Amino acid sequence: MRNRPTTAAAVAALLAATALGLSPHQAQAAPAAATSQTDTSSQVRFHDIPGSGGITLKGNVFTPAGTEPGRKYPLIVLPTSWGMPQIEYIAQAKQLADSGYVVVSYTSRGFWLSGGQIETAGPADIADVSAVIDWALANTPADPGRIGLGGVSYGAGISLLASAHDPRVKAVVALSGWADLIQSIYSGRTQHLQAAGMLGAAGYLTGRPGPELQQILGDFLGSKLENEQAMIEWGKKRSASQQVDRINANGAAIMLGNAWGDTIFPPNQYAEFFEKLTGPKRLEFRPGDHATAEATGLLGLPNDTWTNAHRWFDRYLKGERNGVDTEAPVQIKSRSTDGYEGYADWKSVGSGGTEKLPLADSEHVWANVDSGANGGILFLSSVLDQFAKAPPAASIPLLPRAFAAVWQSPRYAQERRIRGTVRLHTTVTPTKGDGTFVAYLYDVGPLGIGKLVSNAPYTFHGKTPGQSFGVDLDLFSTAYDVPEGHRLALVVDTVDPLYIEHNPAGAQLTFSSPRTDPSYVSVPLREQ
């Protein structure tokens, strides 16, 4: 552990040198002195910043070139992502400072060289944001009337929560973040195993998880249902969706961005939160996985997400009339084609109507065996979909029907452009009181190969064996074009490496369609 701060400092110095074009000698001196001192470029200094509760946060401060005495500049504060050091945003911070902002980025408490323990966007993290703002107003030429927050992933979640507690915040850009932590990693009452496991491992490798986080991780991954309500309450306290009234009252302009295939913070929860916002707002969805849509921008490369983030800050912190507020508030890009589609709100995304696919045949499956249908691998699968348009695939005719329920639509005479949230309604009869199943929607080509369109898990506990119950399940929102001549297939099985399953040995599930309550899949479509 004692070597880690030294390593972190070295990595930070080298990455800072790369981003700013410094010599190795200059980079080694960077934590103690300005790393750029020209008249034509912004300046950066590394600082120890007082956080809440007396801890020290490691940060860097960019100021515009040629700052004039007495002149004030808009301020942007950027908390780092989970497990990332303070140099994460250096490329973007420099660009923002070059365009006239004071930018303060800091390593979130409990990680790397910052003090404290990991609180997972708890009250101390939110208080840190206000403490950093206080410090910036006292030590930089920051304008108290023009303050913005932004970040990726963990930094996005902290920024949204902080906007509910600090009315000085006028604009927020929250990229690949969460608004509802429970819906993100416990949707369908199912633990998202790979997501939670990755976050836990990264926390232990790069920081110091506090006792509360250690307890929650142990209970969550250990499936301790007796502590389920405590876990849910813990997550609610860390969810901006629970504080949307305060966010609306403070009136900050909120920009949200996420990827369709985000395997840590799926898009549904961002879309639902967006609809509840009453102030200036913007929602962007693109292909990819967690933080991949904005990753190239963090390296200083051209990036649509960051371009729009800059425009958002320019409009609401500088007052520039750049048109970002007159564009359609919802901007999405299909996983199948290039180009953006604009909508007035989230409800309009599936404005072409809803197609209901009946699930008339009763299907019976044995649990605890992976049929071969699955949601892919954390990060890898959605990145392949983003860059190669190659989502997880399965041969639908070869799926073993003893372990997978399968329903297929007729072949389509024309393209189907799926937009929004696919919903499954069905009736389940279990042989055991507990169980888990995962629903998958596939685009099936002429050879029977299905490409994954969307999926979602569902877990139940305490049911009466042999007694039927209804299920309504929202699959993860998406934008996908099904080609002419293809068909859709709904597949349900009981094992997926992405999730923790709760099927007892020998469990069986029957999916039926009672005459009084028919089963179906509801598919939202874009107008043709």
Side-chain angles (χ1 to χ4, degrees):
M1 292 289 291
R2 280 188 297 180
N3 291 333
R4 189 168 65 197
T6 303
T7 302
V11 171
L14 288 174
L15 289 177
T18 302
L20 299 172
L22 307 176
S23 68
H25 176 75
Q26 287 174 303
Q28 290 172 5
T35 58
S36 178
Q37 299 284 350
T38 67
D39 291 331
T40 59
S41 180
S42 55
Q43 300 177 4
V44 61
R45 289 185 180 274
F46 290 76
H47 286 274
D48 288 347
I49 301 175
S52 65
I55 72 159
T56 297
L57 301 169
K58 295 294 181 178
N60 55 62
V61 180
F62 275 88
T63 54
T67 54
E68 304 170 4
R71 182 179 175 185
K72 297 295 184 180
Y73 300 84
L75 168 68
I76 296 175
V77 174
L78 303 171
T80 57
S81 302
W82 186 271
M84 294 296 289
Q86 69 200 65
I87 47 77
E88 175 185 10
Y89 302 112
I90 271 190
Q92 287 300 320
K94 184 179 187 304
Q95 291 179 23
L96 286 164
D98 285 344
S99 66
Y101 291 94
V102 173
V103 185
V104 180
S105 174
Y106 68 93
T107 303
S108 299
R109 69 164 49 222
F111 289 103
W112 296 97
L113 299 178
S114 282
Q117 297 178 318
I118 303 173
E119 304 288 347
T120 322
D125 291 291
I126 308 312
D128 283 343
V129 175
S130 293
V132 171
I133 292 174
D134 293 341
W135 180 89
L137 293 177
N139 294 276
T140 74
D143 185 344
R146 296 184 291 168
I147 297 173
L149 302 177
V152 175
S153 186
Y154 192 48
I158 289 175
S159 295
L160 283 177
L161 286 161
S163 72
H165 293 269
D166 197 323
R168 295 175 296 181
V169 176
K170 305 303 181 187
V172 176
V173 171
L175 307 176
S176 290
W178 78 92
D180 187 326
L181 192 57
I182 297 303
Q183 191 176 343
S184 294
I185 62 174
Y186 196 48
S187 69
R189 208 180 176 187
T190 307
Q191 299 107 310
H192 294 209
L193 173 62
Q194 291 185 17
M198 187 281 295
L199 291 172
Y204 278 100
L205 285 171
T206 62
R208 300 167 299 282
E212 189 176 25
L213 175 57
Q214 294 182 45
Q215 177 72 40
I216 290 294
L217 274 174
D219 291 346
F220 186 81
L221 295 174
S223 299
K224 296 183 179 179
L225 286 176
E226 65 273 19
N227 296 331
E228 180 184 38
Q229 193 56 45
M231 289 187 284
I232 290 174
E233 292 303 319
W234 178 87
K236 285 182 176 180
K237 293 177 182 177
R238 289 156 171 81
S239 297
S241 60
Q242 297 292 313
Q243 303 184 42
V244 68
D245 289 343
R246 296 182 65 168
I247 293 173
N248 288 333
N250 287 339
I254 308 290
M255 173 180 162
L256 307 171
N258 205 354
W260 294 120
D262 194 319
T263 43
I264 297 180
F265 303 129
N268 304 45
Q269 44 94 30
Y270 246 20
E272 292 173 11
F273 175 69
F274 171 82
E275 289 291 86
K276 297 175 183 176
L277 293 171
T278 57
K281 59 183 180 178
R282 183 180 178 94
L283 176 67
E284 298 183 358
F285 283 146
R286 299 175 176 84
D289 205 312
H290 185 66
T292 62
E294 50 271 356
T296 55
L298 293 174
L299 300 175
L301 301 174
N303 180 279
D304 288 351
T305 304
W306 283 105
T307 295
N308 289 335
H310 288 229
R311 295 172 65 216
W312 194 255
F313 283 134
D314 289 346
R315 175 66 188 92
Y316 291 103
L317 297 182
K318 289 183 177 179
E320 293 185 2
R321 297 290 180 178
N322 55 22
V324 72
D325 56 327
T326 62
E327 296 170 356
V330 176
Q331 296 285 327
I332 69 171
K333 180 183 284 189
S334 168
R335 292 162 50 202
S336 308
T337 58
D338 293 325
Y340 289 92
E341 302 168 7
Y343 298 90
D345 51 33
W346 176 247
K347 296 187 294 293
S348 300
V349 170
S351 58
T354 299
E355 181 174 4
K356 280 191 175 182
L357 307 179
L359 309 178
D361 298 331
S362 179
E363 296 281 348
H364 181 86
V365 298
W366 291 80
N368 297 308
V369 176
D370 191 341
S371 70
N374 63 68
I377 300 172
L378 187 80
F379 292 128
L380 176 61
S381 296
S382 291
V383 169
L384 287 173
D385 184 34
Q386 178 182 0
F387 294 106
K389 291 184 170 52
S395 175
I396 304 304
L398 297 182
L399 291 175
R401 295 309 198 263
F403 310 116
V406 180
W407 299 266
Q408 296 192 72
S409 74
R411 295 194 184 279
Y412 291 120
Q414 60 181 357
E415 180 186 56
R416 291 292 194 276
R417 294 184 285 186
I418 300 173
R419 299 291 185 274
T421 305
V422 174
R423 294 182 170 89
L424 166 65
H425 174 75
T426 190
T427 295
V428 180
T429 307
T431 60
K432 306 287 185 179
D434 302 325
T436 297
F437 65 85
V438 185
Y440 310 89
L441 188 69
Y442 284 100
D443 159 27
V444 184
L447 299 179
I449 302 300
K451 294 182 177 181
L452 187 65
V453 176
S454 185
N455 74 289
Y458 184 90
T459 294
F460 58 90
H461 296 288
K463 298 295 185 180
T464 302
Q467 183 172 317
S468 301
F469 60 93
V471 170
D472 288 290
L473 177 62
D474 286 356
L475 277 61
F476 301 134
S477 302
T478 194
Y480 185 97
D481 300 341
V482 180
E484 175 186 342
H486 287 213
R487 67 178 72 197
L488 286 172
L490 180 79
V491 176
V492 178
D493 74 359
T494 62
V495 176
D496 190 310
L498 286 172
Y499 312 112
I500 292 178
E501 52 92 6
H502 296 266
N503 295 299
Q508 303 168 49
L509 298 175
T510 299
F511 299 89
S512 59
S513 182
R515 182 178 303 174
T516 57
D517 186 19
S519 295
Y520 60 86
V521 173
S522 174
V523 181
L525 302 174
R526 178 190 172 189
E527 290 183 0
Q528 295 293 328

